[in-house]
């Protein structure tokens, strides 16, 4: 997968957790680098570009319509990303189980899909404006997993009911979920990023 890796500045027990950056539709592997700098400037960073194109715009999996996922492709692409993360952790020498995903929109959805399909796929997750990736599947044990969800009360692409259902599903699997609400739509606001950074410091510093 096309990607970028930046080593962290710490070492040993003081090393900050590695961050996995997953862009929204039309983004690239570098889109969320400013977020990583705000959330944890000392962390190693792995930015990944989705392998699917929709009208020339990179995505992590196909969709049938707005808000309607191609579940077969979602499962395939989630496995593809999971395998890539195994390879990247060996290539770059970061702790795969400590990896904290930072995803926006489509990137948040593929991060949530990793959590839904693979035990201990991530050490934590910051999900900006996600949806429920799949329904009717048995989730892995997520006891102790820390998850931040950023959501907009008036988000037409990721409606509030999606956030509420995702919180219930993740919490039901044992995750510790914190939801931050913004009085806006699908845009990623500075106050939401600040809240994610504060949450990260509280849980991973």
């Amino acid at each position: 997968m096309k990607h970028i890796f930046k080593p962290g500045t710490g070492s040993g027990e003081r090393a900050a957790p590695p961050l996995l950056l997953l862009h929204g539709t039309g983004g690239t592997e570098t889109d969320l680098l400013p977020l990583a700098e705000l959330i944890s400037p000392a962390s190693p960073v792995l930015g990944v570009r989705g392998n699917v194109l929709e009208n020339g715009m990179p995505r992590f999996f196909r969709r049938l319509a707005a808000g309607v996922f191609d579940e077969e492709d979602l499962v395939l692409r989630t496995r593809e990303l999971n395998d890539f993360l195994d390879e990247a952790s060996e290539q770059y020498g970061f702790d795969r189980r400590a990896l904290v995903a930072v995803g926006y929109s489509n990137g948040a959805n593929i991060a949530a899909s990793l959590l839904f399909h693979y035990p201990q796929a991530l050490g934590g997750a910051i999900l900006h404006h996600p949806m429920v990736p799949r329904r009717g599947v048995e989730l892995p044990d997520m006891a102790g997993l820390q998850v931040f969800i950023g959501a907009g009360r008036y988000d037409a692409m990721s409606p509030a009911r999606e956030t509420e259902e995702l919180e219930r599903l993740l919490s039901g699997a044992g995750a510790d979920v914190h939801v931050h609400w913004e009085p806006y739509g699908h845009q990623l606001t500075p106050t939401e990023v600040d809240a994610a950074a504060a949450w990260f410091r509280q849980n991973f510093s």
Side-chain angles (χ1 to χ4, degrees), residues 116-161:
F116 270 47
H117 291 100
Y118 296 99
Q120 299 179 320
L122 297 168
I126 295 174
L127 308 176
H128 292 291
H129 302 261
M131 295 175 66
V132 176
R134 294 186 74 196
R135 292 174 170 85
V137 295
E138 184 176 351
L139 303 189
D141 180 7
M142 299 184 195
L145 182 73
Q146 300 292 325
V147 179
F148 174 97
I149 299 177
R153 289 285 183 192
Y154 305 105
D155 191 336
M157 295 185 65
S158 301
R161 64 179 181 275

Side-chain angles (χ1 to χ4, degrees), residues 4-155:
I4 184 173
F5 180 77
K6 294 178 61 177
T9 58
S11 61
E13 292 183 359
R14 300 187 65 180
L19 300 181
L20 168 65
L21 307 183
L22 302 167
H23 61 78
T25 298
T28 72
E29 62 277 15
T30 63
D31 269 23
L32 300 187
L33 288 176
L35 266 67
E37 190 66 26
L38 290 168
I39 291 168
S40 181
S43 286
V45 174
L46 177 66
V48 181
R49 183 184 299 192
N51 275 346
V52 171
L53 289 179
E54 180 181 274
N55 299 321
M57 298 184 297
R59 280 178 56 86
F60 287 99
F61 57 90
R62 289 196 294 265
R63 56 184 171 182
L64 305 176
V68 182
F69 300 161
D70 181 333
E71 288 201 20
E72 183 177 347
D73 192 62
L74 172 62
V75 171
L76 170 67
R77 300 299 177 176
T78 302
R79 182 172 67 245
E80 179 181 71
L81 178 58
N82 190 63
D83 292 344
F84 169 75
L85 295 177
D86 285 339
E87 297 165 6
S89 66
E90 293 189 12
Q91 179 180 355
Y92 296 116
F94 61 81
D95 182 355
R96 168 66 198 273
R97 292 194 173 187
L99 194 62
V100 178
V102 181
Y104 169 63
S105 194
N106 182 242
N109 294 336
I110 195 77
S113 186
L114 280 171
L115 298 178
F116 270 47
H117 291 100
Y118 296 99
Q120 299 179 320
L122 297 168
I126 295 174
L127 308 176
H128 292 291
H129 302 261
M131 295 175 66
V132 176
R134 294 186 74 196
R135 292 174 170 85
V137 295
E138 184 176 351
L139 303 189
D141 180 7
M142 299 184 195
L145 182 73
Q146 300 292 325
V147 179
F148 174 97
I149 299 177
R153 289 285 183 192
Y154 305 105
D155 191 336

Side-chain angles (χ1 to χ4, degrees), residues 128-201:
H128 292 291
H129 302 261
M131 295 175 66
V132 176
R134 294 186 74 196
R135 292 174 170 85
V137 295
E138 184 176 351
L139 303 189
D141 180 7
M142 299 184 195
L145 182 73
Q146 300 292 325
V147 179
F148 174 97
I149 299 177
R153 289 285 183 192
Y154 305 105
D155 191 336
M157 295 185 65
S158 301
R161 64 179 181 275
E162 289 279 337
T163 298
E164 291 160 356
E165 183 179 355
L166 182 59
E167 179 188 16
R168 286 195 302 270
L169 290 169
L170 293 173
S171 297
D176 184 359
V177 184
H178 173 77
V179 179
H180 172 81
W181 290 99
E182 289 279 317
Y184 303 109
H186 200 63
Q187 68 265 42
L188 186 53
T189 63
T191 49
E192 184 177 327
V193 174
D194 287 345
W199 173 89
F200 184 91
R201 289 190 297 269

